[in-house]
Amino acid sequence: MTFVASTAGDGGQLAAAAREQIRAVDPNLPPRLQTMTEVASASVASRRAGMLLVAVFGALALVLAAAGIHGVMSHLVALRTPEIGVRMTLGASPAQMMSAILREGAIQAIAGLAVGLGGGVLLMRAFRSVLYGVEPTDPLTLTVVSLVLLATALAASAIPGRRAMRVDPVNALRG
C-alpha cells in the first residue's frame, strides 16, 4: 500500500508522525518513507549513471584525440624542419611559422569536424532514446562540441608550432 502526503513545511516532522500512525495500525509493518526528491532521483539514477559513463568516455576520447593530433603535428613539423629553416633564413618570422603550423592543424581539424559531424548526425538518430531534453541535431550542442574540438586541435597543434618557432635556421639547413 502506498500513501502520498504533501506538506508545506518540513517533511521530517510529517514523516515522524506518519511513522507513528503506521506503527499504531500494524507494529510489524516497516514504513518506507521517501521525499519526492528521492523518488525522482531514484527514477533517473540509471540514466544518470549512463550519462556519467558517456561523459567520462567522451573526456577520454578528447584527451586521446589531442594526443593523436599532437603526435601527427609533431611528426609533420619534424619532417618540415629543413623547409622551416629555409623559410626562416629567407626572412620568415617565428610568428609566421607558428601561424602556418596552426593553420595546417586548423585545416585538418575542420576537415575532421566536417566528416565527424556528418557521420554523427546520421548516427545520432539511433541514440534518440538515450538523450533527455535535447534533440540529436541540437544546433547549440553541435556548435559547442565543434568549438571544443577545434580549440583542442589548435592547442594540440600549438606545441609543435612553438617547436617550429625555435628552429635554428643554420642547424636546420645543415640537417
Side-chain angles (χ1 to χ4, degrees):
M1 189 176 282
T2 303
F3 290 101
V4 177
S6 175
T7 178
D10 182 25
Q13 293 175 350
L14 180 65
R19 254 190 211 98
E20 288 178 22
Q21 291 301 316
I22 293 170
R23 284 197 182 112
V25 173
D26 187 357
N28 296 327
L29 188 66
R32 184 174 153 237
L33 303 174
Q34 291 179 306
T35 64
M36 285 307 287
T37 304
E38 292 169 344
V39 171
S41 179
S43 73
V44 294
S46 64
R47 282 190 179 206
R48 184 177 294 130
M51 287 298 108
L52 179 64
L53 191 62
V54 167
V56 167
F57 283 141
L60 182 61
L62 186 64
V63 168
L64 288 174
I69 292 169
H70 174 265
V72 168
M73 293 306 294
S74 291
H75 180 69
L76 289 176
V77 167
L79 290 176
R80 292 179 61 187
T81 300
E83 174 197 342
I84 292 168
V86 168
R87 286 179 183 237
M88 291 184 81
T89 302
L90 294 175
S93 69
Q96 288 173 324
M97 295 315 307
M98 175 69 143
S99 76
I101 301 296
L102 288 178
R103 188 177 322 110
E104 188 173 329
I107 289 169
Q108 291 178 6
I110 290 170
L113 278 172
V115 171
L117 283 174
V121 167
L122 293 175
L123 288 175
M124 279 190 249
R125 303 212 186 279
F127 291 102
R128 186 177 299 269
S129 65
V130 177
L131 300 174
Y132 180 74
V134 177
E135 283 296 313
T137 55
D138 180 42
L140 178 64
T141 304
L142 293 176
T143 302
V144 169
V145 167
S146 298
L147 291 176
V148 166
L149 288 173
L150 187 60
T152 302
L154 289 176
S157 299
I159 298 169
R162 287 181 53 99
R163 199 172 306 132
M165 287 174 54
R166 290 191 226 120
V167 168
D168 181 24
V170 175
N171 290 337
L173 291 174
R174 280 189 194 143

